[in-house]
Amino acid sequence: MSTTTLPHVLVISFPGQGHVIPLLEFSQCLAKHGCRVTFVNPDYTHKRVLESLEGKNYIDEKIHLVSIKDGLEPPENGKANVKFMEKMLEVLPGKLEELIEDISKREGERIDCVIASGATGWAIEVAQKMKIRRRAVVWSAAAASLAFALSVSKLIDDGIIDENGTPVKKQLIQSGPNMPAMKSEDIFWARVGDLPTQKIFFDLTVKNIKSLKGADFLFCNSTYDLEPAAFAMVPELLPIGPLLASNRLGEPGGYFWPEDSNCLKWLDQQPPNSVIYVAFGSLAVVDKIQFQELALGLELCNRPFLWVVRPDLINDKIDAYPEGFQERVATRGQMVGWAPQQKVLSHPSIACFLSHCGWNSTMEGVSNGIPFLCWPCFGDQFLNESYICDIWKVGLNFKRNESGIITRDEIKNKVYQVLGDENFKARSLGLEENALSSVREGGSSNKTFQNFLECIKA
């Protein structure tokens, strides 16, 4: 490669916010260190990212955000989302080939490396087919989730799941010693609809994992210190996290909703270590009864709280809040449509994080020394909950009643417990130091990144 030519990296993300955010963060790190990046999203995701960035200049000028005109309907939760994944696999590989061919036709526009998110293994197959020189995967979930996905054959052989991915019986599943555990009924593909839908999701997961084997580099948004047992189980997996904007002294990007930054001014007015931050990520949905119990639980805590209530968080949007709730909590409660989460969690007023336990949120909370209250909903979130509560011991989970509801009293009691025990905060601060040391000079994630840079620039 000519010394005057910057290496050109094409990055393609799965169309979910939990994938776009770390992939865009990784892209900004590459751009900061002398790479040109073409960041590819399906059309619907591309539009949402652009809308959230409107009026801001967060993205490095060496990053070119482009879309694939896929013609697909926007993805939805549950069953419709699995159908979307099937259609995506039919359409996007051919569209990506066309895009790479179009780039290659321009003088001096050769793609030197393709980087795909961990759920986009088909892009690695396309890169192999088109003889792209380097191929890398960024696994945006926990290393433990990849170790679990790689152990599917063993789970079948051991009689834990059948060939359709259905748990044979209710039991606790653990990939190995010192690994997080989850109930068999909470297995990744078990909460996405009926059995046929679960089978589709299971098959897609197995196919995707096979596709990842065509990558030269397999990175994970995690660290050796956070997941030693998981990295030992998958020795080819290399730490690259935590992928946070603050680690490069920049601004985060890739959100699907415009942020309400006014909440930061509100946080400035709250006492240190006082605020309960509540956020369920970009996909989780709760019904009206559970929504109201959560609201009343936050009210009972008698503490300031910042609650992210997405426009599509609740199934029934009509009069969702309990009667008089907003008036009663007006002096200490803030409800926003979307928050700049990395900035919120680094704010000194935050006391704890009531979270759905998505891996991005988990890494962001851990990297700021924040104790957790765990409310997992689907996918790998139950595995992450086990890390938080059982292995790292930096949070507590909620127990549901006989109707499957987390009650207002359960919420109040767990908030009191996690904030009343200083050990949770002490362990959280220790975990923060372990996480952030990896991205400093000489840290394991920093070494991984520098080695990768040298390789693609060679």
Side-chain angles (χ1 to χ4, degrees):
M1 181 184 301
S2 168
T3 56
T4 59
T5 303
L6 299 178
H8 191 168
V9 179
L10 185 145
V11 181
I12 183 159
S13 177
F14 184 82
Q17 185 174 264
H19 301 263
V20 174
I21 291 173
L23 262 291
L24 191 54
E25 187 57 44
F26 192 56
S27 298
Q28 293 189 78
C29 291
L30 291 171
K32 183 180 177 182
H33 287 83
C35 296
R36 286 181 304 133
V37 180
T38 296
F39 193 95
V40 183
N41 273 312
D43 198 39
Y44 166 73
T45 309
H46 175 73
K47 289 175 181 176
R48 295 193 71 175
V49 171
L50 288 184
E51 287 172 3
S52 72
L53 291 171
E54 190 171 350
K56 302 171 183 175
N57 188 25
Y58 287 177
I59 303 303
D60 191 288
E61 61 182 12
K62 291 193 287 290
I63 295 179
H64 184 208
L65 300 175
V66 302
S67 67
I68 292 180
K69 308 296 182 183
D70 49 46
L72 299 178
E73 290 297 316
E76 298 174 9
N77 295 320
K79 187 172 182 178
N81 195 42
V82 176
K83 293 294 185 185
F84 174 83
M85 289 169 65
E86 283 192 300
K87 291 178 181 177
M88 182 182 72
L89 285 172
E90 293 173 8
V91 174
L92 292 188
K95 294 289 185 180
L96 180 61
E97 282 189 40
E98 292 175 9
L99 176 63
I100 293 175
E101 287 173 352
D102 181 57
I103 291 172
S104 67
K105 287 176 183 176
R106 303 176 210 156
E107 186 176 350
E109 289 291 324
R110 184 188 70 179
I111 298 295
D112 299 293
C113 179
V114 166
I115 302 175
S117 60
T120 319
W122 56 266
I124 298 299
E125 294 181 344
V126 171
Q128 282 181 293
K129 177 182 176 182
M130 303 193 74
K131 296 180 171 53
I132 303 297
R133 192 167 64 98
R134 301 293 185 192
R135 302 173 299 277
V137 166
V138 175
W139 188 259
S140 55
S145 68
L146 180 58
F148 178 82
L150 289 168
S151 68
V152 163
S153 295
K154 187 176 186 302
L155 292 173
I156 295 173
D157 292 342
D158 292 346
I160 295 174
I161 61 175
D162 63 22
E163 292 185 352
N164 295 320
T166 305
V168 174
K169 63 179 180 180
K170 288 187 176 182
Q171 59 185 304
L172 207 60
I173 301 176
Q174 192 175 22
S175 299
N178 303 313
M179 292 284 283
M182 62 182 161
K183 298 175 183 176
S184 55
E185 59 265 36
D186 294 332
I187 205 165
F188 297 170
W189 45 84
R191 291 177 176 265
V192 293
D194 55 19
L195 285 176
T197 304
Q198 292 176 30
K199 172 67 164 64
I200 293 170
F201 191 50
F202 172 72
D203 289 344
L204 289 172
T205 300
V206 172
K207 184 179 187 301
N208 180 68
I209 290 296
K210 289 179 180 177
S211 300
L212 299 184
K213 294 178 181 178
D216 305 304
F217 300 91
L218 187 55
F219 302 130
C220 183
N221 184 22
S222 186
T223 77
Y224 285 135
D225 285 339
L226 289 176
E227 301 189 79
F231 278 103
M233 286 187 67
V234 192
E236 66 271 28
L237 187 62
L238 301 172
I240 200 74
L243 288 168
L244 302 175
S246 56
N247 291 337
R248 59 176 177 81
L249 304 178
E251 295 282 353
Y255 295 118
F256 284 10
W257 284 272
E259 301 168 354
D260 184 345
S261 296
N262 289 325
C263 65
L264 297 174
K265 298 175 184 176
W266 180 83
L267 287 174
D268 290 340
Q269 301 167 12
Q270 308 309 315
N273 200 38
S274 67
V275 176
I276 306 165
Y277 174 57
V278 185
F280 289 92
S282 59
L283 289 175
V285 175
V286 297
D287 63 29
K288 184 176 179 178
I289 294 174
Q290 183 60 88
F291 181 85
Q292 294 194 339
E293 282 297 312
L294 174 54
L296 295 171
L298 292 172
E299 182 179 358
L300 281 176
C301 290
N302 202 30
R303 276 179 166 269
F305 63 87
L306 172 60
W307 185 8
V308 178
V309 183
R310 291 190 335 263
D312 58 350
L313 178 64
I314 22 181
N315 292 326
D316 183 359
K317 299 180 182 179
I318 302 173
D319 298 326
Y321 291 105
E323 186 176 354
F325 167 78
Q326 290 168 287
E327 292 76 16
R328 294 194 301 271
V329 302
T331 58
R332 58 183 174 85
Q334 278 281 105
M335 284 78 78
V336 296
W338 195 253
Q341 182 161 289
Q342 291 189 26
K343 292 182 179 179
V344 167
L345 288 171
S346 65
H347 197 284
S349 71
I350 298 298
C352 67
F353 184 9
L354 197 163
S355 171
H356 69 306
C357 304
W359 188 247
N360 275 342
S361 291
T362 300
M363 288 297 284
E364 289 166 1
V366 162
S367 298
N368 285 288
I370 305 297
F372 285 82
L373 291 159
C374 299
W375 193 309
C377 301
F378 53 79
D380 63 328
Q381 296 162 13
F382 296 94
L383 204 65
N384 303 337
E385 175 194 39
S386 180
Y387 262 138
I388 291 166
C389 299
D390 305 328
I391 295 181
W392 302 332
K393 301 185 186 303
V394 294
L396 295 173
N397 54 20
F398 294 110
K399 305 300 180 187
R400 296 179 182 271
N401 66 11
E402 59 278 2
S403 301
I405 297 294
I406 298 171
T407 66
R408 65 193 77 172
D409 288 325
E410 170 69 359
I411 293 165
K412 181 192 76 170
N413 292 338
K414 289 296 168 64
V415 168
Y416 283 3
Q417 285 180 47
V418 83
L419 296 183
D421 185 343
E422 293 181 358
N423 290 316
F424 284 108
K425 184 64 176 178
R427 286 191 291 266
S428 298
L429 291 173
L431 212 60
E432 174 188 9
E433 176 55 31
N434 286 342
L436 296 182
S437 65
S438 65
V439 296
R440 299 185 187 121
E441 188 172 352
S444 56
S445 293
N446 181 268
K447 288 179 180 177
T448 298
F449 182 74
Q450 295 300 330
N451 290 340
F452 179 60
L453 269 180
E454 289 178 14
C455 185
I456 60 176
K457 288 182 177 182

